[in-house]
Amino acid sequence: MSDFSSLGLSDWLIQQCKQMGISKPTPIQVNCVPPILEGRDCMGCAKTGSGKTAAFVLPVLQKLSEDPYGIFCLVLTPTRELAYQIAEQFRVLGKPMGLRDCIIVGGMDMIKQALELSKKPHIVVATPGRLADHIRSSNTFSMKKIQFLILDEADRLLEQGCADFTKDLEVILGAVPAKRQTLLFSATLTDTLQELKGIAMNKPFFWESKSEVRTVEELDQRFILTPEKVKDAYLVHLIQKFQDEHDDWSIMIFTSTCKNCQILTMMLQKFHFPTIALHSMMKQKQRFANLSMFKSSVYKILIATDVASRGLDIPTVQVVINHNTPGLPKTYIHRVGRTARAGRHGVSITMVTQYDIHLVHSIEENTQTKLKEYPVEEKEVLKILTQVNVTRRECEIQLESTDFDEKKEINKRKQIILEGKDPDVEAKRKAELEKLRGEKKKFKDRIQETIQNKQFGMQKKKLMKQKHAQKKKAEKP
Ligand SMILES: Nc1ncnc2c1ncn2[C@@H]1O[C@H](COP(=O)(O)OP(=O)(O)OP(=O)(O)O)[C@@H](O)[C@H]1O
């Protein structure tokens, strides 16, 4: 395998890598660093935890050290926590050259940020929404001279959904020069390849790690089939088991909504598990504080929504639990990729209800892996079932007495107003849509139930037949 010097990197950078415990480049680094140094646009797709960040940080720092000025490079990323993580990599690796960086994310002081931007930092790491706000409202900085535009988790940035970045991206793309190097990275680039080519226009060099399986070998992927009502008892049982069997352990639990994230956190805290939450309804400062307490193992369990599913690099995470089966294989890949990083081993356990079986099939098909059942002593789970469900109910009531839902509603209305729409009209439209969706879901559930009952009936018939045949055989003299 090549070493860093054969990739064309300077000695000072190689020394910095060594200090970080990085001595040999990973395949994405071997393949992407040289074309980036040659000046080419680049699209890099490799599995989670395979060193994609250093694959763009290293060549950018090398180029910056040859001709240092600000603002030299803009990195966009979908989440605020990830922006801080990327900036830290730049800062550590770029220390000898006195690198100046600036982080522009929502939830933090905008005036301070504007001041920092006006000081021409070498590197700006940003989430699209807040950076677009600065571009719209300020003329104290310019990005007309940037040499590098980097989209980390590029497919997510282009995805249209609940957090839609497309409008902000348009503003940003209008503020950066057309003549630039564009670098796009993700573990799941392939679905959005065509759209991405529109951003990296300069005949991009495309590299993808050659492997049919889209998750890492070191990851043991499991599932637990459970009725919805027993999920939490399984969760408590699993955590108790990890706590009993391991001295040094750390778990990330993913859930689908902020409310459930909050309730599960309260519930696990009532069972005295060292648990902390991360979701978008929390104040940004609290989000950073919680993540840092989890990173430093003050808390061993982090319950998060998908705001934490991409990019976060926390080497101590040994287990990822999906409290809900992710609806998209892509989401599954990123969530479980929070463990088994950089060659370490890890386990993922996905809770699957009877209605989610089709989701597991599509995850298996997409990742080219079979999930294995996680063995659980059901008797032990049943023993704690009532206690867990009562505790959960208590937490739900406790949360209802706070202004959690109200806050959520206010945040939503604020967002709608910012988008230039009328919140009341939108609410009416949403209610109608939800009604339609509810009817559709009921219909779908009924079909699913009929199919499952049919399958179950057929299996039962088959078993009866087998038993009958065995009985007949046994009766024969
Ligand atoms: N050449 C290397 N040798 C050993 N470790 C490395 C190397 N390059 C990077 N690392 C380490 O590997 C870990 C994962 O790297 P990184 O966060 O860049 O992964 P990623 O590919 O971006 O993952 P994700 O898709 O989840 O964002 C980090 O802790 C990083 O310091």
Side-chain angles (χ1 to χ4, degrees):
M1 202 193 221
S2 327
D3 57 19
F4 279 113
S5 53
S6 68
L7 303 186
L9 290 169
S10 309
D11 285 345
W12 71 270
L13 267 172
I14 298 168
Q15 278 311 316
Q16 280 309 100
C17 286
K18 267 198 188 134
Q19 285 199 4
M20 277 181 73
I22 296 177
S23 49
K24 262 188 184 169
T26 62
I28 184 113
Q29 293 160 1
V30 170
N31 288 284
C32 292
V33 170
I36 297 173
L37 287 175
E38 276 166 29
R40 295 188 63 182
D41 280 5
C42 177
M43 297 163 79
C45 181
K47 292 180 188 181
T48 51
S50 60
K52 291 187 286 295
T53 320
F56 62 77
V57 169
L58 291 169
V60 167
L61 286 175
Q62 165 112 1
K63 289 279 183 185
L64 176 65
S65 69
E66 289 163 8
D67 177 18
Y69 69 85
I71 302 172
F72 181 80
C73 166
L74 168 64
V75 186
L76 296 176
T77 177
T79 68
R80 301 164 183 181
E81 286 75 13
L82 196 48
Y84 275 74
Q85 187 180 293
I86 293 169
E88 192 181 77
Q89 280 242 19
F90 269 109
R91 216 170 293 153
V92 174
L93 287 168
K95 186 143 201 298
M97 59 163 293
L99 182 91
R100 282 182 298 113
D101 68 274
C102 166
I103 304 167
I104 304 294
V105 297
M108 303 303 271
D109 190 331
M110 203 155 162
I111 298 174
K112 252 192 201 167
Q113 289 177 351
L115 201 70
E116 279 186 49
L117 278 171
S118 68
K119 287 183 190 156
K120 295 189 179 176
H122 298 124
I123 311 280
V124 174
V125 188
T127 49
R130 178 55 68 90
L131 183 66
D133 283 348
H134 278 285
I135 295 170
R136 286 187 199 105
S137 65
S138 160
N139 54 6
T140 55
F141 73 101
S142 163
M143 289 195 302
K144 278 284 172 239
K145 283 190 183 155
I146 65 155
Q147 192 162 325
F148 283 97
L149 171 67
I150 302 171
L151 271 63
D152 191 31
E153 308 295 345
D155 56 323
R156 175 68 193 90
L157 289 170
L158 291 197
E159 230 169 57
Q160 289 170 356
C162 54
D164 197 332
F165 298 113
T166 37
K167 274 196 188 132
D168 298 321
L169 277 182
E170 267 172 33
V171 172
I172 295 167
L173 288 174
V176 296
K179 192 171 173 290
R180 60 170 194 255
Q181 246 179 288
T182 309
L183 316 179
L184 310 170
F185 284 88
S186 176
T188 49
L189 269 188
T190 22
D191 311 344
T192 36
L193 225 50
Q194 282 317 313
E195 292 99 306
L196 290 169
K197 277 184 183 157
I199 295 183
M201 294 166 292
N202 188 12
K203 283 192 197 143
F205 168 82
F206 176 61
W207 189 81
E208 183 175 21
S209 60
K210 276 195 193 78
S211 162
E212 283 197 359
V213 179
R214 297 179 77 193
T215 42
V216 298
E217 268 173 36
E218 295 81 3
L219 178 67
D220 182 8
Q221 299 177 66
R222 303 287 182 142
F223 73 90
I224 291 177
L225 196 60
T226 164
E228 187 71 42
K229 280 182 193 152
V230 195
K231 251 186 192 181
D232 294 338
Y234 271 109
L235 183 69
V236 171
H237 172 76
L238 280 177
I239 295 173
Q240 187 64 57
K241 208 168 152 228
F242 278 114
Q243 185 167 279
D244 293 345
E245 291 174 2
H246 300 87
D247 291 329
D248 182 24
W249 58 284
S250 176
I251 300 178
M252 268 179 100
I253 301 167
F254 285 101
T255 175
S256 56
T257 63
C258 298
K259 193 169 179 180
N260 203 34
C261 184
Q262 195 67 31
I263 291 169
L264 284 178
T265 307
M266 290 159 72
M267 187 187 83
L268 293 186
Q269 281 170 349
K270 285 204 184 221
F271 284 102
H272 303 291
F273 292 123
T275 311
I276 209 156
L278 182 62
H279 58 74
S280 60
M281 291 271 298
M282 286 162 52
K283 289 231 164 74
Q284 191 51 47
K285 284 203 172 133
Q286 192 64 55
R287 272 167 66 167
F288 287 138
N290 285 9
L291 184 61
S292 114
M293 284 191 281
F294 178 65
K295 274 185 169 173
S296 55
S297 289
V298 176
Y299 288 86
K300 305 277 194 182
I301 302 167
L302 182 75
I303 308 194
T305 55
D306 281 312
V307 76
S309 64
R310 282 189 182 241
L312 292 184
D313 182 55
I314 309 167
T316 50
V317 176
Q318 294 146 348
V319 185
V320 168
I321 298 178
N322 284 318
H323 188 261
N324 72 306
T325 312
L328 291 173
K330 218 191 231 200
T331 310
Y332 174 86
I333 291 172
H334 289 281
R335 280 185 180 186
V336 299
R338 293 319 97 212
T339 186
R341 298 176 68 75
R344 293 181 194 86
H345 286 268
V347 186
S348 68
I349 303 168
T350 301
M351 306 258 193
V352 182
T353 71
Q354 66 196 98
Y355 302 110
D356 305 323
I357 295 171
H358 65 289
L359 297 178
V360 174
H361 289 157
S362 89
I363 287 168
E364 289 183 331
E365 200 179 310
N366 187 285
T367 56
Q368 291 292 305
T369 346
K370 264 244 143 336
L371 270 59
K372 287 187 272 177
E373 187 151 15
Y374 189 82
V376 187
E377 293 159 57
E378 278 169 24
K379 259 195 218 157
E380 298 300 312
V381 177
L382 288 177
K383 270 188 209 165
I384 56 168
L385 180 61
T386 312
Q387 193 199 355
V388 171
N389 284 351
V390 168
T391 313
R392 183 188 172 105
R393 189 66 202 127
E394 279 170 14
C395 296
E396 282 170 355
I397 294 167
Q398 207 177 322
L399 195 68
E400 271 159 28
S401 70
T402 67
D403 55 357
F404 193 84
D405 281 329
E406 207 178 305
K407 256 193 221 156
K408 192 173 169 188
E409 208 40 52
I410 294 170
N411 282 352
K412 264 192 204 159
R413 289 178 77 86
K414 266 191 204 161
Q415 192 55 42
I416 292 170
I417 294 168
L418 281 175
E419 284 167 14
K421 297 175 196 157
D422 180 334
D424 293 322
V425 175
E426 287 304 307
K428 212 169 151 193
R429 213 171 58 91
K430 207 178 156 207
E432 278 163 16
L433 253 169
E434 236 141 58
K435 200 174 151 198
L436 266 174
R437 268 198 210 122
E439 280 162 14
K440 226 170 152 186
K441 186 171 183 297
K442 259 190 216 160
F443 183 65
K444 223 172 137 188
D445 286 352
R446 238 184 292 148
I447 293 179
Q448 184 94 2
E449 217 170 88
T450 318
I451 295 172
Q452 274 174 359
N453 286 345
K454 243 187 185 168
Q455 282 173 342
F456 184 65
M458 271 156 63
Q459 274 176 352
K460 216 170 159 185
K461 251 188 195 166
K462 207 172 155 190
L463 267 172
M464 298 270 277
K465 256 188 185 171
Q466 279 172 353
K467 269 191 183 166
H468 188 68
Q470 277 170 355
K471 207 174 156 193
K472 261 193 156 176
K473 212 173 163 187
E475 279 169 6
K476 268 188 187 165

